[in-house]
Every structure is written in structure tokens, then in C-alpha cells.
Amino acid sequence: MNILKFLTAGSVDDGKSTLIGRLLYDSGAILVDQLEALQRSNRKNDDGTIDLAILTDGLKAEREQGITIDVAYKYFQTDKRKFIIADTPGHIQYTRNMVTGASNAGLAIILIDARKGVIEQTIRHSFLVALLGLPQVVVCVNKMDMVDYDEAVFNKIVSDYKVLAAKVGLKNVAYIPVSALKGDNIVHSSERMSWFKGSSLLPYLETVEIPTDNLTEHARFPVQWVVRPQTEELHDYRGYAGRVSSGSFRVNDKVTVLPSGFTSTISKIELLDSEPEAALSGMSVTIHLEDEIDISRGDTLVSAKNKPHVSQLIEADLCWMDTKPLDTTHTYFLQHNSKLTRCRIQEILYKVNINTLEQEFDEDFKLNDIGRIVVKTADPLAFDLYQDNKANGGAILIDSRTNVTVGALMFRANAD
Amino acid sequence: MKQLDYLDELEAEAIHILREVAGQFEKPALLFSGGKDSITLVRLAEKAFRPGKFPFPLVHIDTGHNFEETIIYRDNMIKRIGEKLIVGYVQDDIDNGRVVEQKGKNASRNQLQTVTLLNTIAKHQFDACIGGARRDEEKARAKERIFSVRDEFGQWDPKRQRPELWNIYNGKIHKGENVRVFPISNWTELDVWNYIRREKIELPTIYFAHERDVITRNGQLMAASPFLNMDDEDVVERRNVRFRTVGDMTCTAAVESYAFEIDNIIDEISASRVSERGARMDDKVSEAAMEDRKKGGYF
């Protein structure tokens, strides 16, 4: 059994919380005491049924304002799969939360209100999902009950969305007409939409194969920690601890250490008492090399046959996440996997108006702004382009004055 | 590429987070309660750092109202793994007047341990505290980051959390602040149990069904003990019970159970219709109970 992490994009008005509540409720993921808390609450739908949206908005501040202010994670499982939902709000001021949720997801559900069709918000969400490189999208046309379950309404939205998908560059898109409120096509197929021959949402999520990038050759291992017991019996022990971010490593593989460029051969792979032959993508292990080389946290072991870029000047997409605008004269910290260095944003090439997708030229880079920049780093970075290898192509910016994460970078080209 | 099995994936993620703590902080600590979640963390730390030593001590906040079995377990475990244990005693803070013991029938030291925790963090100048909290436990937890920054008063501000992107964790803080780190954020209760079974991890005996004197209070089974303020209305009964969480004796309820083996427990949980925090009296106070306690520095 594996885990599918997915993101839900839409606003309160689209019935997003109701959709998640419905998935949890109909799949039996709500436990008795949570249900009791739900019933104690006095929020009800117009017809007196429980308002399932309450299941997702956790904080007092949110309940008072009736909005979702942050990314909330929800967990449920069926016999076929485990699911982690990143529930992110759809209000314009919360682009940063959606980017955060999307950075870890394998699939996005984009909600469209059947009465409204493709609107500005849909463009925004679709652009962000494409920017973050999510491999699979499901468009849920919700509130079908409000349009008499009309097939023509659904078909019109599908054809409108196809135009948008092509424009932002989304390849794998599925479409499902649903009513989260009434439960149509969420867990069970809807009799009221017998014209729809596709799968309901949950069965779809259970079985969809998430397209993975073919990264077998892109073996990358950012070193997090050097294990050196320095005891008498383990005097010469030196293991490099980290997590394989992409590709795989095997004993006897030739590896290059970046940024130094030294090469060596893997002599052993360890995980506590076991010695696996191979470390696959996603595994946390300790790697030993035949040669004694100076390696520390922040260095990356890579396949000697397929090396990433090494450079101090990189063109990247930037999403700004702080209320204080970007200051191109300020030195920020840049964190790329286990590597921390200083950097400056040397040039703003353009910004993207995420409602119209047009490029704009503007000196200000404010909260929720997205655009293309050139970053210069103090130390060389061993990176891949985000579109080729997400796991080694993203970085965060930290304001050295406040220590807050202020930006997300997706590397797009080596500018050196 | 082959996807990892879910337990391997959760394990690898947790090990990665523990190593980030080691790499980013000067004086981290692992908060150890004696419960199954912190026991799981110890196992994960062994996977992250062996054959080296843990780059942090274990810290236990001792309310004094412990299940004896937990303390025995703790001391045996420390002996086995050979790591350092620091204990912060709530009793010390009661004695020196920093906190006042609650009165009345439902008196518990659960609230008081926040003060002892913050004092212990300040005394040892810990800059990161690793804990076994999971997002599936409770609504306020569902919104917590894996690296969760607390101000110098230990407060959590849900509106000022840092965005957490990809697998990159920002541990930069100002002096006096600290970070709570939750490596098993993405695990569910069932995941923890399946992992314990797979790894053959030993647990304190109170997790398994046993006979015990209990009283029924507010519909919950509470262990009869000198720490519980009892009166004539409380009827002590001998029942077959086990505990799903291990907290202070005064706020941890038992469930009736005949699950003597881990397989029985996993079956029981899979079929269960009451979530595990449902057996915690401390969450029942109000709908926002956990959110308020966390803002005040609770774990």
C-alpha cells in the first residue's frame, strides 16, 4: 500500500470543505467522538443535516470568521490506499498557502462551481498547480445539484478548462461532475448523473497512477549529517547520513561529491542493522565511500554518470510569501535541501499576473507575487532544473533579519 | 520508479527530519513521555544516528502522577540505549511555588506540566524539542508545521507559522525562541501501531489488556490511584482494561479491552469508532481546548 498526497484548491464558496468532509464522512474516516463534537456544534445545513465543512476548519479564529486561514492536513485510508489531504484556502491573499500545500502533493483537485464555470480563481489555481509541477489534476465540477445535474453545463466547463490547461501547461487532467453537499460521485456513483460514465472521485483517487518523472539516472543524495562515533572499536567509522532525493544508489556505484567534484565508490549502504544493496529514491540511509574525502552537511553525492548543474547564478521562478516586499539590496539566506548559503536577488526579469497570465514589469515584488528572477548565491549550488527534477530543483529564501521563510524558488535555468 | 511502501516512506521522512534537527540546531532535545509515540521516536533516532550517539538527550517531564509501569520501562530503555536522560519534575515547581496544584474532583497536573516544560527548556537552553505529536490526533494539531517555532514565552501562533515547502525545513530562530519538531506528524495512530509491530518494539505493559481497579467518571474509565481525588460516589471496580495513550494518571482514561497481544490491538483500533484523544479528559473541556493550550506553550 502506498500514500497519495493531494491538494484541494477552491474557496469556501465552492464547497471545498464540504467536499473534504464528504470524503472523510462517506469513507468512514470520522470517528464517533469527532462526530459527537460535530453534532454539539450548532452549524447545520439548510435542510438540517450536519455541516460537513466543520470537519476541516480547526481553529477558533477560523470558526469565528467562517474561513480557512492555513494549510490543514487530513488523513484517511481505504483498503487500497492511504491519503494525506493538504487543505489550502482559495482566497487570493493566501496564494502562499496553496504553493506550500502544492509543493508536497502528487495530485491536485481543482474545484469549479458548476454555476460559475471557469473563473479568475480557477486560472490562478491552475497556474499555481502547473508552476509547482503537480503531475496529475482532477477537476471536480461541484454543485451539480444546483444546475439540475445538467450534462451540457458539465461539458461546457470541461471544454473551457481544456483551453486553460493547454495555456498553463497541465497535461494529465481528469474531470468529474459532483455534488459534495448531496454526495453525488464522491464515494458512490450518482444515479442522478447516469450520463457520466467515468469513475467517482474516491475510486478514482484510489486507483490513479501518479505519473513519475523518469529520474532513474538522476541519483542525488544531499548529505545531512556525518556519523562519526569516534569510539575505540569504531575509530575509523565515517558514514554519510541523508535521504535519496531522486534516482537510486547501489554498492560499487561511482559517485561524485558536489560542489568539490571529488569522485569515489560506494562501499556500503546502511540502515541501522541492515545493509541494503540499493538505496532507492525516498529512502533515508547512511552511505560509506571507499576513499576518505572531506564531506560535510550541505554537500551532495550524485551519480558520476549524470551530474546536476553547479553554479552561483541561477534563473528561477520566485513566489514571494512575506508581507515585507522583496529587497534586491538585501542579503537573504537560501536553503536548498541541506545546503544553507547567502544570496541576493540580482535581477527581476518579469512578474506574472496570475489572473490573466500576462507578464508584467514592475520593480515591486510583494506578498503573493510570482515571477522570474536571477539569484546569485555566495556558495555554488549543485541543482537540477525544477521541471526536470523537483526534489533537487526547489529552494526557500529566509530573511536573515526575521528568520522567516519569505520565498519559494523553482530553478529554471543555469544563468552562469 | 517503484514507490516505497507507506511504512518505509513514513520512516524515511521521520529519519530525514531527525537528521535535519541534528544538522540545524545547537542544543536539541527529544521529549520522552514513555508513550508509544515517543518510544517510536527513539527507534527512529536509532535508525538516524547509530552507530553514533544521539546528538540530543531525552527529556521527561514528570508530573509525579505516573503509571509505575512507564517509569520502569523508561529506566530500562535508557539503560539499553545508553543515552542521557534529563527529568523535569512538576513537583519541584509546586514546591517552589511556580505553580499551584489544582483542587477539586477533576484536579490534574496536566496543565501544570507546561510550566515545568518551559522551565526545563530555559534551564538547559534547548533550541529544538522533538516531540511525538501527530496531525491526526486533533484539529489544532492538523495545522501545525513539522518545524513549529515558539516565541520566548513558548507560545504557538497559528497565524504566524512559516510556510513549509517540499522537504526543506527552516530552523532559523532568534535567541530565546525554540522550535518544536514533530517527525511523525504524518503518521496516524494505526501507522504507529503497525510500525511497532513491524519493528518488534517493546512497549510499557499498560498498553496491553490487564486487570485493574477503575472508577467510571464522566463516562470514562479512570485508573483508581492515590492521585485521583475520589469521594463516596466513586465506585471502584475491577475490570479488564488497557490504555491507548499514556499521560498523567489523572487525565488518561482506559478502555475496556481483551487485547493482550499487539495483533489484537491493531484489530481493535481498526474496528474502533472512538478516536484515541477521545480518551483524554483534557481535550473535552471545550471545543478549542487543544488550540488554547498550545498557544500557551503546551506540547
Side-chain angles (χ1 to χ4, degrees):
Chain A
M1 188 152 60
N2 59 35
I3 303 176
L4 174 64
K5 293 185 189 172
F6 67 92
L7 161 89
T8 51
S11 74
V12 177
D13 307 332
D14 304 322
K16 176 169 60 79
S17 299
T18 309
L19 179 103
I20 295 171
R22 175 64 68 184
L23 274 176
L24 298 173
Y25 189 79
D26 284 4
S27 64
I30 297 171
L31 302 168
V32 174
D33 54 333
Q34 293 173 322
L35 203 59
E36 277 171 14
L38 206 61
Q39 277 155 348
R40 273 204 303 275
S41 155
N42 48 23
R43 255 169 63 187
K44 293 272 165 27
N45 292 317
D46 295 340
D47 60 1
T49 51
I50 304 164
D51 181 356
L52 293 172
I54 304 172
L55 284 169
T56 54
D57 49 10
L59 307 178
K60 206 161 52 173
E62 294 169 89
R63 285 196 294 277
E64 281 156 12
Q65 296 165 42
I67 54 156
T68 319
I69 56 169
D70 208 351
V71 188
Y73 296 92
K74 285 278 156 194
Y75 301 80
F76 72 105
Q77 76 177 89
T78 65
D79 294 339
K80 298 195 179 71
R81 219 173 211 168
K82 290 180 69 71
F83 298 96
I84 301 177
I85 312 176
D87 179 18
T88 62
H91 307 273
I92 184 161
Q93 65 269 42
Y94 291 117
T95 293
R96 69 169 220 169
N97 289 338
M98 194 176 143
V99 169
T100 303
S103 73
N104 282 315
L107 177 148
I109 295 178
I110 292 181
L111 269 170
I112 296 179
D113 185 330
R115 296 168 304 176
K116 295 182 192 156
V118 174
I119 54 174
E120 205 175 82
Q121 172 190 274
T122 321
I123 300 174
R124 203 157 62 223
H125 292 161
S126 304
F127 171 75
L128 292 175
V129 163
L131 183 79
L132 271 293
L134 267 73
Q136 180 71 49
V137 171
V138 185
V139 172
C140 280
V141 179
N142 192 25
K143 305 201 178 181
M144 287 300 292
D145 55 308
M146 308 285 268
V147 296
D148 296 328
Y149 301 101
D150 186 352
E151 182 178 8
V153 172
F154 175 71
N155 288 341
K156 168 78 168 62
I157 292 173
V158 171
S159 70
D160 287 351
Y161 194 88
K162 281 183 175 161
V163 176
L164 174 61
K167 200 167 165 189
V168 298
L170 289 173
K171 286 190 206 81
N172 304 301
V173 187
Y175 301 88
I176 306 176
V178 304
S179 165
L181 187 69
K182 308 287 181 192
D184 294 284
N185 283 340
I186 303 294
V187 173
H188 311 290
S189 291
S190 168
E191 287 169 19
R192 290 178 282 225
M193 287 181 279
S194 50
W195 47 263
F196 179 69
K197 302 300 175 210
S199 160
S200 311
L201 182 59
L202 184 65
Y204 178 83
L205 295 174
E206 284 179 324
T207 50
V208 62
E209 292 279 340
I210 300 303
T212 50
D213 316 309
N214 191 13
L215 296 174
T216 337
E217 299 294 311
H218 280 239
R220 309 283 183 257
F221 185 81
V223 175
Q224 296 180 268
W225 178 254
V226 181
V227 181
R228 291 204 67 188
Q230 290 176 303
T231 54
E232 235 164 76
E233 67 268 35
L234 292 166
H235 188 72
D236 294 325
Y237 184 102
R238 197 182 177 92
Y240 304 104
R243 189 178 188 190
V244 181
S245 68
S246 61
S248 60
F249 293 87
R250 285 175 185 281
V251 175
N252 293 328
D253 275 1
K254 287 246 176 304
V255 291
T256 301
V257 184
L258 293 174
S260 71
F262 289 115
T263 56
S264 185
T265 305
I266 295 178
S267 56
K268 188 164 71 170
I269 298 171
E270 272 185 308
L271 176 58
L272 197 57
D273 303 325
S274 67
E275 290 185 15
E277 268 298 293
L280 308 177
S281 178
M283 276 172 68
S284 284
V285 295
T286 302
I287 288 179
H288 295 255
L289 299 181
E290 279 178 6
D291 308 276
E292 218 170 276
I293 307 173
D294 182 22
I295 300 174
S296 52
R297 177 178 166 81
D299 291 340
T300 310
L301 305 186
V302 306
S303 157
K305 286 183 285 185
N306 179 312
K307 291 181 204 163
H309 298 276
V310 179
S311 149
Q312 288 173 259
L313 206 58
I314 309 168
E315 199 179 306
D317 281 325
L318 169 65
C319 174
W320 195 254
M321 301 180 144
D322 196 37
T323 46
K324 198 194 290 178
L326 166 67
D327 177 354
T328 48
T329 65
H330 184 66
T331 302
Y332 293 90
F333 285 117
L334 182 151
Q335 197 175 337
H336 170 244
N337 290 323
S338 59
K339 175 71 184 174
L340 187 73
T341 180
R342 288 173 193 274
C343 76
R344 246 198 307 275
I345 304 303
Q346 185 161 290
E347 197 182 351
I348 298 172
L349 299 174
Y350 59 82
K351 291 201 312 190
V352 178
N353 179 325
I354 60 170
N355 296 317
T356 61
L357 306 181
E358 277 161 11
Q359 292 184 6
E360 291 175 350
F361 300 88
D362 182 352
E363 285 306 299
D364 271 359
F365 221 98
K366 300 184 297 291
L367 177 64
N368 295 319
D369 278 352
I370 287 171
R372 187 65 62 90
I373 56 92
V374 177
V375 61
K376 182 171 192 186
T377 58
D379 300 333
L381 291 186
F383 68 96
D384 288 286
L385 305 184
Y386 190 80
Q387 58 271 30
D388 299 335
N389 184 352
K390 273 161 73 174
N392 197 37
I396 60 169
L397 285 182
I398 300 167
D399 192 322
S400 51
R401 297 160 291 196
T402 59
N403 289 330
V404 167
T405 304
V406 293
L409 289 169
M410 284 139 284
F411 301 140
R412 298 300 183 186
N414 185 352
D416 195 10
Chain B
M1 170 140 319
K2 181 177 159 279
Q3 238 191 310
L4 296 181
D5 176 68
Y6 76 98
L7 280 182
D8 290 327
E9 185 176 339
L10 293 170
E11 177 190 71
E13 179 184 64
I15 293 171
H16 174 253
I17 293 162
L18 287 169
R19 287 167 171 171
E20 281 305 290
V21 175
Q24 292 194 36
F25 295 93
E26 303 276 323
K27 278 207 81 179
L30 190 153
L31 300 181
F32 182 80
S33 69
K36 66 177 192 315
D37 299 313
S38 53
I39 291 168
T40 299
L41 286 182
V42 170
R43 176 66 170 182
L44 292 163
E46 290 183 289
K47 295 214 179 191
F49 304 112
R50 290 290 184 248
K53 281 255 186 202
F54 293 178
F56 39 70
L58 275 62
V59 171
H60 181 219
I61 302 303
D62 185 342
T63 64
H65 291 173
N66 303 297
F67 290 96
E68 196 193 353
E69 295 89 335
T70 316
I71 300 298
I72 294 170
Y73 179 92
R74 180 195 75 186
D75 294 342
N76 286 339
M77 188 199 75
I78 291 295
K79 224 177 282 169
R80 177 179 69 76
I81 64 175
E83 299 287 345
K84 188 178 174 193
L85 174 73
I86 293 169
V87 183
Y89 295 96
V90 172
Q91 189 64 49
D92 288 351
D93 285 315
I94 294 172
D95 294 345
N96 64 27
R98 279 205 180 99
V99 293
V100 179
E101 187 114 51
Q102 289 181 353
K103 294 199 172 59
K105 199 166 173 172
N106 292 318
S108 162
R109 288 184 172 180
N110 188 55
Q111 296 267 344
L112 308 186
Q113 64 180 332
T114 299
V115 173
T116 308
L117 171 62
L118 297 181
N119 288 342
T120 309
I121 290 170
K123 184 178 162 197
H124 295 275
Q125 296 183 306
F126 293 130
D127 51 5
C129 294
I130 303 158
R134 307 188 320 269
R135 287 177 180 148
D136 82 319
E137 284 179 77
E138 210 277 337
K139 283 209 273 191
R141 294 241 192 256
K143 308 222 163 178
E144 182 129 19
R145 299 286 187 259
I146 288 173
F147 272 34
S148 181
V149 179
R150 305 301 172 99
D151 67 15
E152 57 180 316
F153 302 101
Q155 296 183 102
W156 177 63
D157 183 351
K159 286 191 177 177
R160 287 191 50 218
Q161 298 202 83
R162 296 172 177 176
E164 209 157 65
L165 293 122
W166 301 293
N167 301 320
I168 304 174
Y169 305 104
N170 171 8
K172 287 221 158 283
I173 49 170
H174 294 291
K175 206 163 169 48
E177 293 177 332
N178 66 81
V179 177
R180 306 284 170 90
V181 179
F182 305 110
I184 59 167
S185 284
N186 285 327
W187 299 40
T188 63
E189 184 189 16
L190 197 55
D191 296 335
V192 173
W193 279 108
N194 279 319
Y195 188 72
I196 287 169
R197 173 163 66 180
R198 188 184 89 170
E199 299 289 314
K200 301 187 173 65
I201 299 169
E202 194 199 331
L203 289 182
T205 52
I206 61 170
Y207 276 109
F208 302 95
H210 57 285
E211 268 191 30
R212 181 182 287 269
D213 288 339
V214 293
I215 61 165
T216 305
R217 204 176 263 183
N218 305 328
Q220 308 254 31
L221 297 176
M222 304 298 294
S225 78
F227 311 127
L228 203 61
N229 292 339
M230 295 197 283
D231 59 27
D232 298 344
E233 285 174 29
D234 292 317
V235 184
V236 178
E237 296 172 274
R238 193 102 181 136
R239 301 271 280 271
N240 251 307
V241 297
R242 68 177 189 86
F243 294 87
R244 288 181 76 176
T245 68
V246 172
D248 186 288
M249 278 193 94
T250 57
C251 73
T252 309
V255 290
E256 181 116 50
S257 172
Y258 292 88
F260 298 100
E261 306 286 338
I262 191 158
D263 289 346
N264 311 135
I265 290 177
I266 288 171
D267 290 346
E268 210 177 87
I269 293 169
S270 308
S272 170
R273 297 300 300 156
V274 177
S275 75
E276 113 200 81
R277 285 208 85 86
R280 291 292 283 255
M281 307 294 283
D282 37 332
D283 290 339
K284 294 234 160 169
V285 184
S286 77
E287 211 184 325
M290 174 68 94
E291 185 181 347
D292 291 340
R293 274 183 296 142
K294 280 165 65 70
K295 282 180 184 164
Y298 181 75
F299 185 63

